[in-house]
Amino acid sequence: MKRILGLLTAGLLLTGCGTADTQDGESTSGPTKVRLQLQWFVQAQFAGYIAALDKGFYKAEGLDVEILEGGVDIVPQTVLAQNRADYAISWVPKALASREQGAQITNVGQIFQRSGTYQVSFADSGIKTPADLKGKKVGNWGFGNEYELFAAMTKAGLDPGEDVQLVQQQFDMQALLQGDIDAAQAMSYNEYAQLLEAENPKTGELYKPEDFTVLDWNEVGTSMLQDAIWASTSRLEDKTYQDTTVKFLKASMKGWMYCRDNAAECRDLVVAKGSKLGASHQLWQTVESNKLVWPSPKGIGYIDETDWKRTVQLSLETKNADGQTVLTKEPEGLAYTNEYVEKALAGLAGEDTKGESYKPEAVTLEPGGK
């Protein structure tokens, strides 16, 4: 989840991702090779894709999927636009900004139905609402992760460039724990858990949720769509790529459905992939990621028009510290489509693709996330 790196050039060399398919899903020359670019390091944020690979859901669709790990300097939508991947996972506002700069990409599956971004402060800080951030040291990661925070401050009548002291935050919670900042950015499935895995020096025990105040952008009203599956717009004109997209979505959906119902096993799959985070932390992350997926009122992956329009509008209105907005105009062309999601959902008829009865399990965190 990093900064968009410059303007993308048009006319990228695009190739197909397989050969003609037979009825059983296998191509005439073997499985269709597919490269999926993650937007960060391997962790349970991507558990559904890892499960789809390890449990054979991709293979059952005739796909030979390679999962490409993300990192500090990897911009997934750029990797996709440059044809170094066939699909990519990226937050919608970041990808839309890349589209405005020339990336020919289309959202074909909105896996996370809600935002997982928090702004967290100590309970005794006096920060209860975004308006209370005025005059405070406010941490954020930048690189496009700050859009919801800036939207919330703008909604509260604050100027992000003048009314708060913005602090470049590392991808951990040490600055908050050490008192260097008053409010820290955190993902519900990762950094927030790091706080609850840390020892409270006043009690000698782990911190508890009541020790903190959480600003949840879903509740504030400035949430933006996050993890989505992006495809190449140009290649969607090709029938083979269209068919592959449906198969890839279907198998990925099955992976997330499996992780909804088998969180502990999916945690183990992620840990086995070499995650640097411990087992208890990864179980927390699996469950919290599931909360962002389930329930999916119209079926997993479906792109809700209201949520899309809110994300676009916030991107058009929200200014950063330099007074620049995320987008300067409405997205042009095929920015998103539910065509392939609907076909994938039809292929999963009879299965629980909405998760309306999903109840997240309780997770006990260990010191340091072990």
Side-chain angles (χ1 to χ4, degrees):
M1 298 186 287
K2 292 291 147 184
R3 187 182 304 278
I4 299 164
L5 303 177
L7 295 175
L8 297 170
T9 58
L12 295 172
L13 177 62
L14 300 178
T15 60
C17 59
T19 56
D21 294 326
T22 61
Q23 290 184 346
D24 63 3
E26 294 283 341
S27 70
T28 55
S29 60
T32 301
K33 293 186 179 299
V34 172
R35 298 158 297 174
L36 171 65
Q37 177 63 62
L38 304 182
Q39 63 180 343
W40 197 238
F41 300 104
V42 168
Q43 58 183 15
Q45 174 187 0
F46 312 112
Y49 312 107
I50 293 170
L53 179 62
D54 285 11
K55 302 303 292 185
F57 300 148
Y58 289 132
K59 183 178 181 181
E61 294 295 327
L63 306 179
D64 178 10
V65 174
E66 178 185 7
I67 295 178
L68 307 176
E69 189 171 31
V72 174
D73 297 319
I74 295 175
V75 183
Q77 63 269 26
T78 300
V79 174
L80 171 64
Q82 294 177 344
N83 196 40
R84 292 184 284 125
D86 301 294
Y87 303 97
I89 309 301
S90 182
W91 287 13
V92 171
K94 298 181 189 182
L96 289 180
S98 290
R99 287 188 84 259
E100 189 169 292
Q101 293 177 327
Q104 297 298 306
I105 56 177
T106 299
N107 182 350
V108 293
Q110 188 61 52
I111 300 302
F112 281 11
Q113 296 285 303
R114 47 201 65 85
S115 169
T117 311
Y118 292 162
Q119 199 73 19
V120 187
S121 55
F122 280 104
D124 60 3
S125 67
I127 300 173
K128 306 297 182 183
T129 69
D132 297 327
L133 294 172
K134 185 174 183 178
K136 302 293 187 180
K137 294 181 180 178
V138 180
N140 72 93
W141 300 315
F143 309 119
N145 297 290
E146 74 279 13
Y147 298 152
E148 294 165 302
L149 165 65
F150 283 13
M153 289 193 290
T154 300
K155 183 179 179 181
L158 303 182
D159 183 335
E162 296 183 2
D163 293 329
V164 302
Q165 182 179 343
L166 296 172
V167 178
Q168 181 70 42
Q169 181 184 326
Q170 298 299 312
F171 285 88
D172 58 38
M173 303 305 284
Q174 290 305 307
L176 179 66
L177 291 171
Q178 294 172 7
D180 296 330
I181 57 178
D182 300 303
Q185 189 166 27
M187 300 309 298
S188 61
Y189 49 77
N190 193 355
E191 289 79 15
Y192 179 61
Q194 292 178 23
L195 290 176
L196 304 179
E197 294 162 348
E199 180 181 306
N200 183 342
K202 296 179 180 178
T203 65
E205 300 178 353
L206 296 185
Y207 280 109
K208 304 179 185 302
E210 54 266 31
D211 294 323
F212 303 99
T213 297
V214 172
L215 297 180
D216 182 339
W217 307 135
N218 297 290
E219 298 174 359
V220 171
T222 60
S223 63
M224 296 182 178
L225 290 172
Q226 297 188 343
D227 290 26
I229 297 175
W230 294 81
S232 166
T233 308
S234 299
R235 292 170 66 185
L236 284 173
E237 298 177 2
D238 177 75
K239 181 62 166 59
T240 298
Y241 187 67
Q242 293 175 8
D243 293 342
T244 299
T245 299
V246 173
K247 294 173 182 178
F248 180 76
L249 286 170
K250 180 182 175 184
S252 298
M253 292 171 180
K254 289 192 69 173
W256 279 109
M257 291 159 61
Y258 191 85
C259 288
R260 176 193 65 204
D261 302 330
N262 302 275
E265 182 181 349
C266 282
R267 177 271 313 274
D268 293 340
L269 295 177
V270 172
V271 172
K273 288 295 182 185
S275 170
K276 305 297 189 294
L277 304 171
S280 70
H281 187 97
Q282 287 294 6
L283 181 57
W284 172 282
Q285 189 165 138
T286 303
V287 172
E288 291 297 319
S289 294
N290 272 325
K291 290 180 183 180
L292 304 182
V293 179
W294 311 106
S296 292
K298 297 181 181 180
I300 180 175
Y302 193 90
I303 306 162
D304 182 82
E305 185 178 6
T306 300
D307 293 338
W308 177 270
K309 287 183 176 179
R310 182 186 64 253
T311 299
V312 170
Q313 193 62 35
L314 288 170
S315 297
L316 289 167
E317 296 175 350
T318 299
K319 295 182 179 180
N320 61 19
D322 298 322
Q324 303 296 313
T325 57
V326 180
L327 299 179
T328 63
K329 58 185 177 180
E330 290 276 349
E332 299 176 344
L334 190 66
Y336 82 92
T337 176
N338 279 313
E339 177 182 354
Y340 308 103
V341 164
E342 290 172 344
K343 291 179 179 178
L345 289 171
L348 294 170
E351 299 191 43
D352 182 8
T353 59
K354 296 183 178 181
E356 294 174 325
S357 62
Y358 171 66
K359 294 182 179 179
E361 61 190 86
V363 178
T364 300
L365 291 169
E366 300 293 336
K370 296 180 180 179

